[in-house]
Amino acid sequence: MCSERPEGKVWAVVSERVPPVLLRPYLAEAFEANEVKLDVFSMTTESLAARVVEQKDRIISKEISPPRSITVRLLLPNTESEALAITRQVSREDDPQVRARLDWTLHSHVTMLRSALFELRRLKLVEKVDVQVRLVPFAPQLKLYILNNQVVLQGFYIPEEGAATLADGEEVVTYDAYGTGATLYPFRATADSTPEQVGVVRAARKFFNVTWENLATDAAF
């Protein structure tokens, strides 16, 4: 069963069975708010960065009105930690080159995301843009998006065996998590949401805030 917004648009799935969704439409909706806030815990932000660039283009093309502010907090794995479960060689031995490859991927997508949002500020389309990044010494077991404090999207990272090419050209077999384009499960906290939906959103917000304040350290990039 679905509830509806006053405008008649589908607002949330409130049934016990929550079907999987994709990030794109939910992020598009989030960017139509006056104040955009994104709290994200993920492996590399690859999916998020690509979707944020799309929203930047929507704002520049005047498809949607620019928000007054955009605030982003990113929780990401610290690639200096030797205890990361993924990405790791199937031998389970720690390999600094494997972690360096993850570090490069992480940095490149954070840079893409930051560049897109700060371009909006440079063009004077969005007055306030704030992007903060903190690191935790463990790899996420699921990707978590909290959009405007009301919508939670979460999906598991399933470790898969695959080949990875290192900086020196060596190819190694690793356990990695390929989250790009993954389906997510949505939960929403609004007046007409079920208690179960609201409970998940509250728990996700608490988990993120406690992890951000107590377990994470500021990123050096």
Side-chain angles (χ1 to χ4, degrees), residues 20-102:
V21 299
L22 296 177
L23 174 62
R24 178 182 278 116
Y26 284 82
L27 194 66
E29 178 190 276
F31 267 79
E32 293 172 7
N34 289 326
E35 295 183 356
V36 176
K37 182 177 181 180
L38 311 178
D39 288 338
V40 178
F41 184 27
S42 73
M43 186 68 68
T44 65
T45 74
E46 182 175 358
S47 298
L48 179 67
R51 301 290 84 81
V52 164
V53 169
E54 292 175 354
Q55 301 315 307
K56 176 207 71 173
D57 293 340
R58 292 178 73 208
I59 293 171
I60 292 176
S61 67
K62 299 183 179 180
E63 180 182 338
I64 59 173
S65 299
R68 288 193 295 265
S69 66
I70 302 174
T71 303
V72 180
R73 295 190 297 174
L74 302 175
L75 271 177
L76 301 169
N78 187 341
T79 57
E80 294 183 1
S81 172
E82 298 179 4
L84 292 182
I86 49 177
T87 305
R88 179 176 287 267
Q89 289 201 42
V90 294
S91 64
R92 300 190 180 184
E93 295 179 1
D94 175 63
D95 187 336
Q97 289 193 84
V98 172
R99 287 189 282 109
R101 181 176 180 271
L102 174 63

Side-chain angles (χ1 to χ4, degrees), residues 113-196:
L113 184 150
R114 275 179 161 163
S115 298
L117 294 180
F118 283 113
E119 183 179 356
L120 293 173
R121 191 177 70 176
R122 180 182 63 81
L123 295 173
K124 302 186 183 303
L125 293 172
V126 178
E127 180 180 351
K128 179 184 176 183
V129 174
D130 182 27
V131 180
Q132 299 180 53
V133 183
R134 291 188 181 181
L135 306 176
V136 289
F138 50 87
Q141 299 302 296
L142 57 80
K143 58 170 54 183
L144 174 67
Y145 302 98
I146 305 173
L147 311 180
N148 295 342
N149 281 327
Q150 285 191 322
V151 176
V152 164
L153 304 175
Q154 62 182 28
F156 288 100
Y157 282 113
I158 308 298
E160 298 180 27
E161 188 174 310
T165 303
L166 305 180
D168 61 2
E170 180 186 2
E171 190 170 278
V172 297
V173 180
T174 63
Y175 284 123
D176 205 342
Y178 304 96
T180 305
T183 52
L184 305 162
Y185 292 89
F187 304 89
R188 194 184 296 264
T190 58
D192 54 0
S193 295
T194 64
E196 292 81 7

